[in-house]
Amino acid sequence: RISQTSTIGHVFGLDFHQNKVADPADLYWDKCRKTVHESTSKNRIVEHLQELAAECEYLALWLDCDKEGENICFEVISLCGPIASDNVYRAHFSALTELEIKHAFKNLGRPDKH
């Protein structure tokens, strides 16, 4: 059985400890924490991903093939705890064409944290 779903962009945002600073450069050293985006929370994306992950053995991530897409991959992975990291794959494609999609499916790689 294959299940398919989607996110609405990023799952998490970053909130700084200090809300107001005189010099924005001070935020480089400020503590920050991950928070769930309002649209993500409203649409129950976190709960939905966790429910699906509880029923899955493998995870194949199909997100934009850029640094932002890679970041979203790891946001999703962090919510899919029951799935072993050896069973997490990443599709790489550059267009939504039949040829590209079939090639990506046959050549799944791994998410790149760097």
Side-chain angles (χ1 to χ4, degrees):
R1 178 179 146 210
I2 294 177
S3 297
Q4 180 180 325
T5 192
S6 65
T7 65
I8 313 172
H10 283 279
V11 177
F12 298 110
L14 290 177
D15 283 345
F16 292 100
H17 180 66
Q18 301 177 58
N19 288 331
K20 297 178 183 176
V21 293
D23 183 0
D26 291 340
L27 295 176
Y28 282 104
W29 295 274
D30 195 20
K31 293 180 182 177
C32 60
R33 62 186 168 98
K34 285 186 178 182
T35 57
V36 176
H37 277 294
E38 184 179 331
S39 63
T40 302
S41 179
K42 184 174 102 177
N43 289 295
R44 299 192 68 248
I45 300 297
V46 170
E47 295 85 354
H48 177 68
L49 290 170
Q50 290 172 333
E51 289 166 5
L52 280 178
E55 301 172 4
C56 295
E57 186 177 347
Y58 293 90
L59 175 63
L61 299 153
W62 293 71
L63 293 133
D64 291 348
C65 290
D66 57 17
K67 292 291 183 187
E68 190 172 9
E70 210 67 37
N71 185 356
I72 296 170
C73 281
F74 285 95
E75 291 178 0
V76 171
I77 291 168
S78 74
L79 298 171
C80 297
I83 299 173
S85 60
D86 289 350
N87 291 347
V88 176
Y89 295 91
R90 173 83 159 102
H92 294 277
F93 56 96
S94 57
L96 294 175
T97 64
E98 182 178 354
L99 184 64
E100 284 277 334
I101 298 302
K102 285 182 176 180
H103 181 355
F105 190 78
K106 290 178 183 175
N107 296 285
L108 293 172
R110 300 288 183 178
D112 182 6
K113 199 163 194 163
H114 305 285

